Amino acid sequence: MSLSFCGNDTSTTYNVNNGVLNNICFLDALNLVPHVFLLFITFPILFIGWGSQSSKVQIHHNTWLHFPGHNLRWILTFILLFVHVCEIAEGIVSNTKMQTWHLHLFMPAIVGFIAATTSVIYYHNIETSNFPKLLLALFLYWILAFISKTIKLVKYCENEIGLNQLRFCITGIMVILYGLLMAVEVNVIRVRKYVFFMNPQKVKPPEDLQDLGVRFLQPFVNLLSKATYWWMNPLIISAHKRPIDLKTIGKLPIAMRALTNYVSLKDAYDDLKKQAIDQPHKTPSIWLAIYKAFGRPILLSSTFRYLADLLGFAGPLCISGIVQNLGGTNETQPEQEVPKNAFVSVYFMSSKEFLEQYYVLAVLLFLALILQRTFLQASYYVTIETGINLRGALLAMIYNKILKLSTSNMSMGEMTLGQINNLVAIETNQLMWFLFLCPNLWAMPVQIIMGVILLYKLLGVSALVGAAVILLLAPIQYFIATKLAEVQKNTLDYSTERLKKTNEILKGIKLLKLYAWENIFCSSVEETRMKELTSLKTFALHTSLSIFMNAAIPIAAVLATFVTHEYVESKTLTPANAFASLSLFHILKLNEFFTSDEIRDDSMRNGDSPSLFDACKKHPGIHSRAINRKQPLRYQMDRYEQTPRRQIRPSDSEEAAIKVIGGYFSWGTGLATLSNIDIQIPTGELTMVVGQVGCGKSSLLLAILGEMQTLEGKVCWNDKNRNSVAYAGQKPWLLNATVEENITFGSPFNKQRYKAVTDACSLQPDIDLLPFGDQTEIGERGINLSGGQRQRICVARALYQNTNIVFLDDPFSALDIHLSDHLMQEGILKFLRDDKRTVVLVTHKLQYLPHADWIIAMKEGFVLREGTLKDIQNNDNELYEHWKTLMNRQDQELEKDTEADQATLERKTLRRAMYSREAKAVIEDEGEEEEEEEDEEDDMSVAMRQRTKMPWKTFWRYLTSGGFFLLFLMIISKLLKHSVIVAIDYWLVEWTTKNTSTENTTSDPNRTYYVMGFSILSASGILLCLITSLTVEWMGLTAAKNLHDNLLKKIILAPIRFFDTTPLGLILNRFSADTNIIDQHIPSTLESLTRSTLLCLSAIGVISYVNPYFLIALIPLGVAFHLIQKYFRVTSKELQELDDNTQLPLLCHFSETAEGLTTIRAFRHESRFKQRMLELTDTNNLAYLFLSAANRWLEVRTDYLGACIVLTAAITSITSGVNPGIVGLGLTYALTVTNYLNWVVRNLADLEVQIGAVKKVNSFLNIESECYEGSMDSEQVPDNWPKTGEIKISDLCVRYETNLKPVLKHVKAYIKPGQKVGICGRTGSGKSSLSLAFFRMVDIFDGKIVIDGIDISKLPLHTLRSRLSIILQDPVLFSGSIRLNLDPECTCTDDRLWEALEIAQLKNLVKSLPGGLDAMVTEGGENFSVGQRQLFCLARAFVRKSSILIMDEATASIDMATENILQKVVMTAFADRTVVTIAHRVHTILTADLVIVMRRGNIMEYDTPENLLEQEDGIFASFVRADM
């Protein structure tokens, strides 16, 4: 065919006698004019780059959209482009019907397509550089295009070309589009007045864009970038070079901040409240408020979802069309229904004919897929964004409520911290999830109905059979899902219990090792783990059933449908119908698969790992559901309204800072706790409140602060003072922040004042011990300080604040006498007095009464006396005398208390903790080292490789820990299953093709052969589905079981040094978060990953089998896919970590606030804490938004790749001209690829994160264990060893680890049987190390200890430790019965236990408890006082009839009375045993037979106490003098 613009068919082609416009070719040429005009004008402007000289407003993002009608313009342009594509296709197809080439049929359309594309690029550049005047070019273009198309349309109408012709429809649509675009342009002129007006409108960019910190650009970019997440590219690429941190992601746009959303939700709620005033019985519903505040985006998302679902049906219809036309025989040339005249010299095509072209169908399929996936991702994104906004608003609402909770709610247990944590961590997330699922819930019915209608059209009645199968099996799936949730809850209960036990073991590990009880306690954890595993087994079974149902339902439905069709319908099954219905079944089924997978995939964020809570608070009631499901959230919020805040009344008298007049106060029970209170607190003086325990001293302070309910009476403040009160509560409350931040507490830092305060509270020595001084994090997540240190920091906070009034609630309770004195003198009497501040001090230390300016004595909730000490002495001598005797007694105690005071002790424990910090880093590095075995290049690239590489080694370890048999079974069954599924579909091809060739001769034998084959294959497919899902879950379980068992054994057998150097939280995390991931998340991720990967591979295999040319096209697609997944995995991992790391501080902030309510309110710092909460919420929401945007980024890209695969598959199949049935098979498979590609990547990314848990567990499996075997057998050791208790120590050298300095150097000593030995020395002199050496807890690398003639280094550890007894400095009790605490091995009779309790003076106490010996001890022994706990430890040591007892500073943490009991018992009950006492109060060893004085690991003095005291200049003598 020769090439010409108008074609050479007839001589009249170029004839213009009837007028130029009546020649159809010239009419088409006229349409070229506007397009060419636009290209000529815009290209120079685009290339010169007007964009370079930007507008006056300097702005950092080129994303500012200046012009109105922006989105409408983009949408219209996209429609225009689509219509152009149709026009081009129609022209080309019509051209093939002519004898010669008619370029005018499609050439103008191609130029028009280029022009339309140029117009939108041009517009985008002009908009971002803000040059509205240049828009005139576009305006002219739209006018010209509109005119030329209208002329064409009018001419068509004149020549009777109507709606039956496709070209007429296309022209009509284009006229409308150009008209609308013209209108958009006119609107821009109207609003911006950039031309035809005198004063153009000035514009300011939105606030967010002026702020360089905002990096989340989704709301501000143009439509194309919004739809494809193009703006995410820089972030995702840069993640490869450097890790993403909070700085990288910037801050949230204003519209998404928690505060903005809180305000809109609250406004909506308040409106509802106003409406509800008229109807008293009706309460405003939070649901309605949520709908009013967030309804629009939810509707938008649902619209997107519906559009996507409807477009989804294009796939099956196009496949049906393609297959039908390929096998079609209707090749007769259709006559066109257009009058033949001079104008109609070319072929006009009808729409029906156009849609019978299979190439056209292939392109339509491609476009439909692209659109469908874009809408689907848009729907997901909008719901997620709305969900996040809602969560921010709810968190702010809950927080405001918490700040208003009355203290009584908290203390009466109406609202526990656990419930608050629950609200924050779980409930808000669940509401967010509910929003995510809304569009799904609404879209599903529509999708199912549409699907069934289409199936009915394709297959007739038999389609209903298949649909019925799906619908009947759906309830079973629902039932399985509910069971799953139930089982998961049980599992959670067991794992909480197991964690509690593990936690106890780790806390008491030293004692367990010293008593050789570790295995007994270990087995109790294993017992709970077994229960947990049983529950996990049920969980696994249900999960695999649900996976099986997912895979088996489509197979069953297809089987039912096709078999019924074969026997019921008269028409035979054609390939076209078969494959269209196959993909329809896929759509129906995918629907459920996706919802289940989307939910599962993100439920990891739902706080179902217990670790989050453990990180925040160790609360027993943590998993109790806080929300009463029957009531809306609001009730719950309103029940805890707070008592009215304190009123401020200017008081008439100037000298009193605060007056309480006739006050009756209650803790919300209605009963007055404080009654008839009439007091005044003088300004600028020191007022002391004294009285017995529980007489209402603390309540008085809280009543004045307005924390209690005022039943009657009033509190008057002197109006100058009531802005803020510095308050230090009885229970110290610290923030998770640095020491400095805890002390300054939001006040400006003043160096001089800060130093004065830390000195007054003697905090400097403690601060010096911390690794980063006062910049060290303390509190929950930081370093744990002792009670005294915490209390001193709280007092320091109260002193530092510049307030007129200071309330100190028993600040001396956790301090010893030296610290108390120093604090009283320097802090209260000097620092506060100098500032002329009004101080109210609650105290038990009566010796400070003489310092008070004013005293309030309380008794049983009312004021006993008020006045100066002199007043009380004159008016109530009896009380005064009573106080005096108490003061004397306190003074005597003062003298007894010794130089080795509490502060040194606290610092010693702190030093031990610090010591452990340094080593923590070492442990964490060990995990990294395995990977870095490759040769080091420059650091950066190595680090990058680390971050982009899948941890295959760890992954292999995980798989093999499940056992090789299961692994093998899993691989084989997976491969078999997918082969069978392909075989089923291939059988279908054979069967339907056979049907088409043997038209309607229902030859029975053949039919039965095909039906039987099909049924057998389907049945085996269903069976294999079950086997694979079971093996994966089973393998996961076995792996989880083995990993946990090995971990527990390793940890239990680790040397004590490991526990000193590894923070407890780190070890606990392995047992909580990491174990939870290995138990529940890895198996399902692994299953999903293998399934989607194999589905994609089998699909690509089938397409390549259909036509090998597809493989060539696969190469670029494969490269693209590899790059996308490589970049995405790194970003996803980093963003997931960011999300986790930002969630924790948020949860902690909530629980912190709830604990410190009184302090925050006394200081009046509510707004500062609210601000902090909003910041934390925004940070967390931002991280999560970025994470979901990254997921959308990935999915849009993989979906487009999938669409390309479909297009290439369709085109290559059509050109290669194979059997239409096989083409249908290939296309059906290509369609499934689009659905599964992104799951491959997302599961890969998830698995990479989750395998991190296995890696962490593995790093602990490399710890050295203690050497439990000795050179002697336990049989060789006499049963009664050590009989006499004789100890020889010769040349003993001891160190904690091989790389550390020795702590004992060449120590020699001999202890006779039954001797009482005292060891003393300053902190760090090696006393405790010596006691540990007896038990071989430390490394004895030289010398030996011989007990009763046996060298202890030859004994098995268990034997050695089970024969000696020790009482430690910190009493350790375990939760369980008293019997378990005294004798976990259950070897003793009850009489023996009672005897031990009697000796320890505990018999009466235990008898009074319910259950006697079986009475319960709470966690850590909290239900007994410290002294009682120490006595239990003594009884425990007595129960074990060992002839050697070691007491390691056993009296350090107990009061005088208990200490005397202990001393007496040791002298009588252990009279015939050898007792080694390590003392820090020297007077406790004055009665010993032998005293050893140590310094720096050497023995300095060694003799009887009498002899040592005679040496005036001896160390021991100086100790005793200091003690007196």
Side-chain angles (χ1 to χ4, degrees), residues 6 130 135 147 157 179 223 324 448 464 521 634 688 810 891 923 998 1130 1168 1220 1362 1432 1462 1469 1472 1517:
C6 291
N130 194 13
L135 281 180
I147 294 170
C157 291
L223 203 62
Q324 210 163 352
I448 289 172
L464 300 178
F521 281 79
R634 193 192 62 80
M688 286 199 192
D810 206 355
D891 285 346
I923 294 269
T998 58
V1130 177
R1168 183 166 75 92
S1362 59
F1432 272 115
L1462 246 171
D1472 52 342

Side-chain angles (χ1 to χ4, degrees), residues 568-837:
V568 173
E569 303 282 326
S570 49
K571 298 200 304 287
T572 53
L573 196 58
T574 62
N577 289 357
F579 287 108
S581 38
L582 252 189
S583 34
L584 276 170
F585 275 123
H586 272 298
I587 287 182
L588 288 186
K589 194 56 223 125
L590 260 180
N591 193 324
E592 289 178 46
F593 161 73
F594 265 138
T595 35
S596 65
D597 244 20
E598 272 284 350
I599 298 166
R600 193 218 74 228
D601 198 61
D602 290 304
S603 69
M604 276 184 68
R605 190 165 192 272
N606 226 347
D608 52 9
S609 74
S611 64
L612 265 182
F613 293 122
D614 300 335
C616 261
K617 287 285 167 285
K618 307 277 186 287
H619 265 290
I622 203 91
H623 293 295
S624 60
R625 273 284 183 252
I627 286 217
N628 174 352
R629 290 267 181 261
K630 293 189 189 63
Q631 299 183 335
L633 255 170
R634 193 192 62 80
Y635 275 130
Q636 310 257 329
M637 298 283 263
D638 272 1
R639 260 184 40 221
Y640 311 119
E641 252 318 340
Q642 200 225 335
T643 52
R645 299 291 300 165
R646 42 211 153 182
Q647 319 88 329
I648 300 175
R649 299 208 185 91
S651 68
D652 38 5
S653 57
E654 267 303 297
E655 74 281 355
I658 306 165
K659 271 182 134 172
V660 182
I661 303 164
Y664 285 83
F665 302 97
S666 128
W667 278 121
T669 49
L671 300 169
T673 316
L674 301 176
S675 36
N676 201 6
I677 304 286
D678 274 300
I679 56 165
Q680 53 176 346
I681 288 167
T683 312
E685 314 254 292
L686 168 58
T687 306
M688 286 199 192
V689 184
V690 291
Q692 287 178 324
V693 177
C695 67
K697 301 185 296 296
S698 301
S699 300
L700 179 66
L701 290 192
L702 294 174
I704 296 175
L705 286 173
E707 292 289 329
M708 291 175 76
Q709 280 182 359
T710 311
L711 299 178
E712 49 181 285
K714 57 185 181 177
V715 179
C716 303
W717 294 79
N718 193 339
D719 51 356
K720 290 204 299 290
N721 303 337
R722 185 59 205 120
N723 34 14
S724 134
V725 171
Y727 168 78
Q730 202 170 358
K731 186 169 163 249
W733 171 73
L734 297 182
L735 291 171
N736 281 327
T738 62
V739 179
E740 181 190 304
E741 282 163 0
N742 264 297
I743 294 175
T744 55
F745 201 59
S747 300
F749 182 76
N750 171 340
K751 195 166 181 187
Q752 217 175 339
R753 187 178 178 81
Y754 182 75
K755 180 151 179 22
V757 169
T758 44
D759 287 346
C761 300
S762 34
L763 277 168
Q764 205 48 53
D766 301 276
I767 290 176
D768 295 341
L769 275 178
L770 296 170
F772 307 112
D774 59 9
Q775 297 307 312
T776 313
E777 284 263 332
I778 53 174
E780 281 306 325
R781 295 193 309 265
I783 286 163
N784 292 328
L785 304 174
S786 69
Q789 287 159 333
R790 298 169 73 103
Q791 183 127 29
R792 297 207 303 278
I793 289 177
C794 289
V795 174
R797 174 195 302 154
L799 298 186
Y800 186 84
Q801 298 302 309
N802 217 340
T803 54
N804 294 333
I805 300 183
V806 182
F807 280 13
L808 300 174
D809 190 352
D810 206 355
F812 308 120
S813 59
L815 309 185
D816 69 9
I817 204 84
H818 297 286
L819 291 171
S820 308
D821 267 357
H822 184 80
L823 178 60
M824 185 72 202
Q825 294 299 338
E826 295 297 315
I828 297 171
L829 297 177
K830 200 159 148 224
F831 188 82
L832 291 176
R833 279 270 174 88
D834 290 352
D835 276 6
K836 292 278 185 291
R837 286 156 88 180

Side-chain angles (χ1 to χ4, degrees), residues 153-209:
L153 191 67
V154 171
K155 283 296 168 196
Y156 279 177
C157 291
E158 283 173 7
N159 288 292
E160 298 173 29
I161 295 168
L163 286 169
N164 292 338
Q165 272 62 43
L166 182 63
R167 198 171 314 157
F168 177 83
C169 303
I170 288 178
T171 313
I173 293 172
M174 285 195 137
V175 170
I176 297 169
L177 286 174
Y178 283 132
L180 288 171
L181 282 162
M182 210 160 61
V184 170
E185 214 61 77
V186 170
N187 184 44
V188 176
I189 295 178
R190 185 185 67 78
V191 176
R192 287 292 302 272
K193 308 186 164 125
Y194 64 84
V195 65
F196 311 134
F197 287 97
M198 289 307 291
N199 40 357
Q201 185 203 20
K202 294 270 187 295
V203 282
K204 278 193 69 174
E207 224 177 303
D208 286 317
L209 290 183

Side-chain angles (χ1 to χ4, degrees), residues 510 514 908 912 915-916 919 1054-1061 1264 1266 1293-1305 1323-1334 1336-1342 1448 1478 1497:
K510 187 170 177 185
L514 289 168
K908 180 170 168 186
R912 280 185 193 151
Y915 198 29
S916 62
I1056 194 76
R1057 173 87 188 126
F1058 168 75
F1059 299 97
D1060 286 342
T1061 54
E1264 290 286 308
E1266 280 188 292
C1293 296
V1294 164
R1295 59 188 170 196
Y1296 277 96
E1297 249 181 306
T1298 41
N1299 54 359
L1300 295 177
K1301 290 207 239 10
V1303 281
L1304 293 181
K1305 305 161 203 152
T1323 306
S1325 59
K1327 313 185 292 290
S1328 299
S1329 310
L1330 182 59
S1331 69
L1332 291 178
F1334 287 124
R1336 281 187 26 218
M1337 296 284 276
V1338 284
D1339 177 22
I1340 300 179
F1341 64 98
D1342 196 8
D1448 184 358
I1478 290 167

Side-chain angles (χ1 to χ4, degrees), residues 450-672:
M450 283 284 301
V452 173
I453 293 173
L454 281 176
L455 276 170
Y456 182 72
K457 281 196 102 61
L458 285 169
L459 299 175
V461 186
S462 53
L464 300 178
V465 177
V469 169
I470 288 187
L471 290 177
L472 287 175
L473 291 179
I476 300 182
Q477 260 185 307
Y478 176 72
F479 171 71
I480 292 177
T482 48
K483 277 303 251 197
L484 258 179
E486 218 172 281
V487 174
Q488 200 159 12
K489 198 166 166 1
N490 292 344
T491 315
L492 197 65
D493 294 344
Y494 286 131
S495 53
T496 315
E497 190 187 334
R498 169 177 61 81
L499 270 181
K500 201 177 119 197
K501 287 186 175 173
T502 316
N503 189 14
E504 283 210 318
I505 288 189
L506 293 175
K507 279 189 172 155
I509 188 77
K510 187 170 177 185
L511 182 96
L512 293 180
K513 283 186 167 299
L514 289 168
Y515 272 79
W517 284 346
E518 56 268 69
N519 293 336
I520 301 169
F521 281 79
C522 180
S523 57
S524 100
V525 171
E526 278 167 354
E527 206 175 294
T528 316
R529 174 70 176 166
M530 282 321 289
K531 286 183 199 157
E532 187 185 7
L533 278 173
T534 319
S535 177
L536 276 172
K537 265 181 195 149
T538 337
F539 180 74
L541 185 69
H542 284 102
T543 314
S544 48
L545 276 178
S546 129
I547 292 170
F548 156 67
M549 295 294 281
N550 262 335
I553 289 179
I555 301 179
V558 170
L559 174 68
T561 308
F562 289 159
V563 172
T564 323
H565 186 278
E566 192 63 26
Y567 288 107
V568 173
E569 303 282 326
S570 49
K571 298 200 304 287
T572 53
L573 196 58
T574 62
N577 289 357
F579 287 108
S581 38
L582 252 189
S583 34
L584 276 170
F585 275 123
H586 272 298
I587 287 182
L588 288 186
K589 194 56 223 125
L590 260 180
N591 193 324
E592 289 178 46
F593 161 73
F594 265 138
T595 35
S596 65
D597 244 20
E598 272 284 350
I599 298 166
R600 193 218 74 228
D601 198 61
D602 290 304
S603 69
M604 276 184 68
R605 190 165 192 272
N606 226 347
D608 52 9
S609 74
S611 64
L612 265 182
F613 293 122
D614 300 335
C616 261
K617 287 285 167 285
K618 307 277 186 287
H619 265 290
I622 203 91
H623 293 295
S624 60
R625 273 284 183 252
I627 286 217
N628 174 352
R629 290 267 181 261
K630 293 189 189 63
Q631 299 183 335
L633 255 170
R634 193 192 62 80
Y635 275 130
Q636 310 257 329
M637 298 283 263
D638 272 1
R639 260 184 40 221
Y640 311 119
E641 252 318 340
Q642 200 225 335
T643 52
R645 299 291 300 165
R646 42 211 153 182
Q647 319 88 329
I648 300 175
R649 299 208 185 91
S651 68
D652 38 5
S653 57
E654 267 303 297
E655 74 281 355
I658 306 165
K659 271 182 134 172
V660 182
I661 303 164
Y664 285 83
F665 302 97
S666 128
W667 278 121
T669 49
L671 300 169

Side-chain angles (χ1 to χ4, degrees), residues 1051-1279:
I1051 296 283
I1052 286 286
L1053 301 182
I1056 194 76
R1057 173 87 188 126
F1058 168 75
F1059 299 97
D1060 286 342
T1061 54
T1062 316
L1064 189 84
L1066 201 70
I1067 306 177
L1068 261 183
N1069 252 342
R1070 299 296 159 269
F1071 284 104
S1072 56
D1074 296 337
T1075 303
N1076 182 49
I1077 287 176
I1078 294 171
D1079 285 351
Q1080 293 184 15
H1081 295 137
I1082 295 185
S1084 47
T1085 312
L1086 187 63
E1087 207 292 326
S1088 188
L1089 176 68
T1090 45
R1091 177 181 50 190
S1092 33
T1093 312
L1094 284 169
L1095 271 166
C1096 288
L1097 288 177
S1098 55
I1100 287 169
V1102 169
I1103 306 169
S1104 313
Y1105 168 74
V1106 173
N1107 50 338
Y1109 293 114
F1110 174 70
L1111 285 172
I1112 303 167
L1114 199 60
I1115 295 169
L1117 291 175
V1119 171
F1121 179 72
H1122 172 73
L1123 287 174
I1124 290 173
Q1125 65 89 28
K1126 183 172 133 191
Y1127 279 105
F1128 171 77
R1129 268 191 10 238
V1130 177
T1131 314
S1132 165
K1133 192 168 153 189
E1134 308 257 312
L1135 286 170
Q1136 271 189 42
E1137 274 173 21
L1138 257 189
D1139 177 41
D1140 291 345
N1141 297 344
T1142 50
Q1143 206 173 359
L1144 208 71
L1146 178 63
L1147 292 187
C1148 286
H1149 184 71
F1150 267 84
S1151 46
E1152 226 170 53
T1153 308
E1155 278 192 333
L1157 275 178
T1158 8
T1159 313
I1160 296 171
R1161 290 202 287 240
F1163 276 97
R1164 285 285 167 97
H1165 276 216
E1166 290 100 332
S1167 56
R1168 183 166 75 92
F1169 275 76
K1170 272 184 204 169
Q1171 192 49 45
R1172 176 91 183 114
M1173 188 278 314
L1174 290 172
E1175 282 164 20
L1176 289 169
T1177 310
D1178 285 344
T1179 317
N1180 181 229
N1181 282 349
L1182 181 62
Y1184 191 53
L1185 259 178
F1186 264 107
L1187 180 61
S1188 64
N1191 282 338
R1192 300 288 84 77
W1193 179 92
L1194 163 82
E1195 290 180 11
V1196 166
R1197 286 178 182 41
T1198 47
D1199 289 342
Y1200 289 176
L1201 270 183
C1204 294
I1205 288 179
V1206 174
L1207 183 65
T1208 38
I1211 288 179
T1212 45
S1213 314
I1214 294 167
T1215 40
S1216 59
V1218 278
N1219 161 355
I1222 290 217
V1223 173
L1225 177 69
L1227 285 179
T1228 312
Y1229 269 86
L1231 266 185
T1232 56
V1233 171
T1234 48
N1235 291 325
Y1236 290 110
L1237 267 181
N1238 60 49
W1239 282 109
V1240 174
V1241 186
R1242 280 195 49 185
N1243 285 321
L1244 200 62
D1246 286 346
L1247 190 65
E1248 188 176 3
V1249 173
Q1250 291 165 9
I1251 280 293
V1254 180
K1255 195 167 146 190
K1256 287 179 195 160
V1257 168
N1258 269 335
S1259 72
F1260 270 22
L1261 293 181
N1262 305 332
I1263 312 166
E1264 290 286 308
S1265 294
E1266 280 188 292
C1267 167
Y1268 272 77
E1269 273 70 55
S1271 49
M1272 293 172 69
D1273 268 347
S1274 46
E1275 281 82 53
Q1276 297 172 316
V1277 184
D1279 283 344

